Amino acid sequence: MVFLSLVSEEQDAGNHTLLTEFVLSGLSSHPELQHLLFFTICLVYTTTLIGNLLICKVTVHPTLHTPMYFFLRVLSFLDISTASVVVPKMLVTFVSEDRRISYKGCVTQLYCVVFLASTEWYLLAAMAYDRYVAICSPLRYAAIMNTRLCLSLVLLCCCSGSVVSVVQTAWVFTLSFCEPRKIDYFFCDIPPLIVLSCTDTSLYEKQIVSATALVIFTPFCLILLSYVCIISSILKISSAESRHKTFSTCSSHLTVVTLYCASGTLIYLQPKSSNSQGAKKILALIYTTVIPTLNPLIYSLRNKEVKEVLIRTVAVLMKK
C-alpha cells in the first residue's frame, strides 16, 4: 500500500488531472473472434492450473525429494501465479464492453508481472546451476545442493525479482500519460505504457534495455556457461545410454529457457516499437499464458521419473 501511494503521489505531481484508470484494448479488436478467444484462453488457463498443480503434487512424492524437483515445484507455482495475474482480466475483456482497469490495479498488475517474470528467469539460472553440480560433481552433489542452499537460492531469486519490479514499476508510473489513456494491450505491461506516455521516454527506453540485459542476458549467460560445462562432461561419459539419459534431463530445461529468452528479448529490447504491437501481443500471450501451460508437458514428458509418478497420481485421483 505504501508503494502504491508513493507511485500515485508521483503521478499526481506530474499530471494536472488525477489519473484514476486506464482502458485495455484487449488481445483482439475483431468482435467476431471474442467468444472463440474467450473459450480458447479459458481452456488454456484451465490446463495451466491443472498441469502445474499436478506437478506441485507429484514433486512432493518421496522418490522425487531432490533439489531439481524442488525447483520445478517453485517454477510451477510461479507459472500458476503469472497466468492468474494476467488471464482473468483478459477473459473479462473478451465478454465485456467495460475494459477499464483502475490506476492502482494497473500498478499492481505490472508489479506482479515484472516480479514473477524476473524471479522465474533467476530461478532458471538456479536450476541450471543445480544440473551443473549434479552432472559435473555428482559425488559432492548432496553436500553442495543441501536444503539450506536451495531455499537460499529461491529467496535470492524472489528478492532480486522484487527489486527489479519495484524499480521498473515506480519508474514507469512517474511518466505522464496521454488521453484517452487506452492501453493497446491485454494487460498492463511496460512497452504499451511507454507508448502511451506524453513525455520524452528516450532515457527510460535505454534503461529498459539495460534492465533486459540484467534480467534476461545475465542469467542466460550463466545458464549457457553451465551447459557448456555440462555438455563437456556428458561427452566424456562412455555409455551411450547414460549420455542420452543425462542429456534428456537437461534438454527440458533448455527448451524452457529458449522459449522465455526468445519472447522476452523480442518484447523488451524495442519497448516503443509501435509498428510491431500486434506481434508483441502474441509474444506476451506466449510467455504469460502458453509457456506456463507447456512447462508441465515439457518437464513430465521428457522425464521418466516424473512421468511414472504422474501416471500413478492421476490413477489414484481417478479412483477417488
Side-chain angles (χ1 to χ4, degrees):
M1 290 301 293
V2 174
F3 172 67
L4 288 175
S5 298
L6 287 172
V7 172
S8 297
E9 287 172 9
E10 288 176 349
Q11 180 66 49
D12 294 344
N15 284 350
H16 296 293
T17 57
L18 181 65
L19 176 55
T20 59
E21 63 185 27
F22 294 96
V23 178
L24 297 169
S25 69
L27 183 62
S28 173
S29 58
H30 300 286
E32 66 277 10
L33 294 177
Q34 300 304 308
H35 287 91
L36 175 62
L37 286 170
F38 174 84
F39 288 112
T40 303
I41 299 299
C42 195
L43 178 62
V44 171
Y45 180 53
T46 304
T47 305
T48 299
L49 294 179
I50 293 172
N52 283 287
L53 286 172
L54 275 173
I55 290 294
C56 289
K57 181 175 178 59
V58 163
T59 51
V60 297
H61 193 274
T63 60
L64 301 179
H65 276 185
T66 64
M68 180 175 76
Y69 298 114
F70 167 70
F71 289 129
L72 180 56
R73 186 159 62 250
V74 176
L75 181 68
S76 290
F77 174 76
L78 292 175
D79 283 339
I80 290 171
S81 301
T82 300
S84 297
V85 166
V86 173
V87 174
K89 185 63 181 178
M90 176 168 52
L91 291 175
V92 171
T93 65
F94 291 138
V95 294
S96 173
E97 292 295 324
D98 186 2
R99 297 182 173 185
R100 293 175 296 174
I101 181 170
S102 69
Y103 175 81
K104 289 187 177 180
C106 191
V107 173
T108 303
Q109 189 179 53
L110 178 61
Y111 171 81
C112 291
V113 168
V114 176
F115 166 71
L116 292 166
S118 303
T119 302
E120 192 148 345
W121 253 113
Y122 293 130
L123 182 68
L124 289 172
M127 293 172 76
Y129 176 70
D130 171 67
R131 291 298 82 210
Y132 162 74
V133 176
I135 294 168
C136 299
S137 303
L139 298 179
R140 300 176 58 209
Y141 178 67
I144 296 173
M145 297 303 296
N146 53 56
T147 303
R148 183 178 178 180
L149 179 62
C150 292
L151 290 173
S152 297
L153 286 172
V154 171
L155 183 61
L156 180 61
C157 292
C158 292
C159 290
S160 301
S162 183
V163 170
V164 170
S165 187
V166 167
V167 171
Q168 297 305 314
T169 305
W171 201 327
V172 167
F173 284 97
T174 58
L175 301 173
S176 297
F177 298 103
C178 303
E179 294 290 352
R181 291 169 183 157
K182 184 175 183 180
I183 302 173
D184 188 15
Y185 229 54
F186 55 94
F187 68 98
C188 289
D189 199 9
I190 293 171
L193 284 168
I194 291 178
V195 172
L196 198 63
S197 176
C198 303
T199 53
D200 179 24
T201 59
S202 55
L203 178 62
Y204 185 73
E205 288 176 63
K206 292 176 183 177
Q207 186 269 338
I208 283 291
V209 173
S210 300
T212 301
L214 177 67
V215 175
I216 296 181
F217 291 122
T218 301
F220 181 75
C221 289
L222 294 173
I223 293 167
L224 195 61
L225 181 62
S226 296
Y227 275 99
V228 168
C229 298
I230 287 169
I231 292 169
S232 177
S233 296
I234 290 174
L235 294 176
K236 293 176 184 177
I237 300 174
S238 56
S239 169
E241 184 179 348
S242 297
R243 281 201 305 269
H244 174 74
K245 182 180 178 181
T246 306
F247 188 75
S248 178
T249 303
C250 298
S251 61
S252 304
H253 185 248
L254 279 173
T255 303
V256 173
V257 168
T258 303
L259 288 170
Y260 271 112
C261 186
S263 56
T265 301
L266 290 171
I267 290 171
Y268 295 107
L269 277 185
Q270 290 183 308
K272 209 171 181 180
S273 179
S274 58
N275 58 347
S276 60
Q277 196 67 8
K280 284 186 178 180
K281 285 185 183 181
I282 300 300
L283 289 168
L285 184 69
I286 289 171
Y287 87 79
T288 59
T289 309
V290 177
I291 294 177
T293 306
L294 294 178
N295 278 351
L297 295 174
I298 292 169
Y299 281 104
S300 61
L301 293 178
R302 289 177 173 266
N303 190 302
K304 186 179 178 182
E305 293 174 322
V306 173
K307 201 174 356 180
E308 288 175 352
V309 176
L310 184 60
I311 291 169
R312 290 200 296 270
T313 302
V314 172
V316 169
L317 290 172
M318 289 182 70
K319 285 180 182 179
K320 291 182 180 179

